[in-house]
Amino acid sequence: MSKQVAVILSGCGVFDGSEIYETTLTLLRLDQLGIGYRCFAPDIEQHHVIDHRSGEVAEGETRNVLTESARLARGEISPLAELAAADFDAVILPGGFGAAKNLSNFAEAGADMEVLGELREALAGFFDARKPIGLMCIAPVMVPKLLGNGIAVTIGHDPGVSGAISAMGGLHRTCGVEEIVVDFENRVVTTPAYMLATRISEAATGIFKLVDRIDELMDR
């Protein structure tokens, strides 16, 4: 039986959901390595909807996170409430501001943020079973609230976000776009992706390294 990885999405689109390139590159690398995957997303309304041409809020428009995430998963997706760590060998969270708006309220609350209860419960199962957890882009900012204090992560080198991680009890490590940070003790792998990337190839290098390291950790 092949390894199986859960991929947790937060919508569709960099400004109000999962970052599309990060998600696609993650799924591509998993497939290249012969690793099976299943996508999950919370069945909730988005914080808001952004017009990705103008960058402005689309006033009066609402969208569902699970329904929007299904666009990225080509319809093959399950509600986050159905994710059981026992069914998978690892979990990966692509970035995009859905992580800071739908999976948490970091975009509004900063270091005082709260994370979605369904997400915290799902990741607790992986963490307690010492199954690898990968996060990219802005998603690592949630680690102190999701997994506890003292876990080393990276979002690149943004001083505001890295400062918030430290304020919440996390350990931030400065990192280049094409590199990863691995907390071997806690089996958490992070990479900056589009927190720093200016080209899809830059994002791909770091994301592929993250998936490769997750693959290695699943063997340990």
Side-chain angles (χ1 to χ4, degrees):
M1 180 179 176
S2 68
K3 301 169 186 173
Q4 297 291 323
V5 173
V7 179
I8 298 177
L9 304 180
S10 60
C12 181
V14 58
F15 298 125
D16 58 9
S18 289
E19 213 292 322
I20 293 172
Y21 291 171
E22 291 177 3
T23 302
T24 302
L25 290 166
T26 297
L27 302 183
L28 170 63
R29 190 58 177 163
L30 288 169
D31 185 64
Q32 288 176 335
L33 295 173
I35 299 171
Y37 61 82
R38 178 75 181 176
C39 294
F40 294 84
D43 188 2
I44 59 173
E45 293 301 304
Q46 288 186 188
H47 170 68
H48 59 200
V49 178
I50 297 292
D51 181 334
H52 278 62
R53 292 186 301 166
S54 67
E56 300 296 324
V57 175
E59 298 293 348
E61 186 173 345
T62 61
R63 298 188 184 185
N64 177 276
V65 174
L66 179 59
T67 301
E68 290 300 295
S69 298
R71 295 175 179 270
L72 287 171
R74 297 177 60 85
E76 295 294 324
I77 195 165
S78 301
L80 181 58
E82 297 180 5
L83 173 55
D87 297 333
F88 295 90
D89 302 296
V91 61
I92 297 177
L93 281 74
F97 280 104
K101 296 176 178 179
N102 302 326
L103 300 183
S104 74
N105 63 347
F106 177 75
E108 289 186 318
D112 294 321
M113 74 169 179
E114 297 180 357
V115 295
L116 188 68
E118 280 185 0
L119 178 65
R120 185 171 55 249
E121 292 172 11
L123 288 196
F126 287 90
F127 190 67
D128 292 344
R130 295 192 53 76
K131 295 183 176 182
I133 299 171
L135 309 96
M136 60 194 68
C137 190
I138 191 67
V141 77
M142 298 186 291
V143 166
K145 297 287 187 175
L146 288 170
L147 306 178
N149 296 340
I151 299 173
V153 300
T154 190
I155 49 82
H157 50 65
D158 181 281
V161 180
S162 62
I165 291 172
S166 298
M168 290 185 286
L171 296 175
H172 183 265
R173 300 288 184 253
T174 298
C175 179
V177 63
E178 297 179 336
E179 299 303 324
I180 60 175
V181 166
V182 185
D183 186 315
F184 286 100
E185 180 178 355
N186 293 291
R187 300 170 70 80
V188 173
V189 187
T190 54
T191 191
Y194 272 97
M195 285 295 287
L196 294 179
T198 59
R199 304 191 310 277
I200 190 171
S201 58
E202 289 181 340
T205 300
I207 290 169
F208 282 16
K209 286 181 179 178
L210 180 147
V211 177
D212 290 352
R213 185 55 56 87
I214 292 289
D215 184 27
E216 293 171 5
L217 289 173
M218 285 190 287
D219 290 328
R220 297 184 182 181

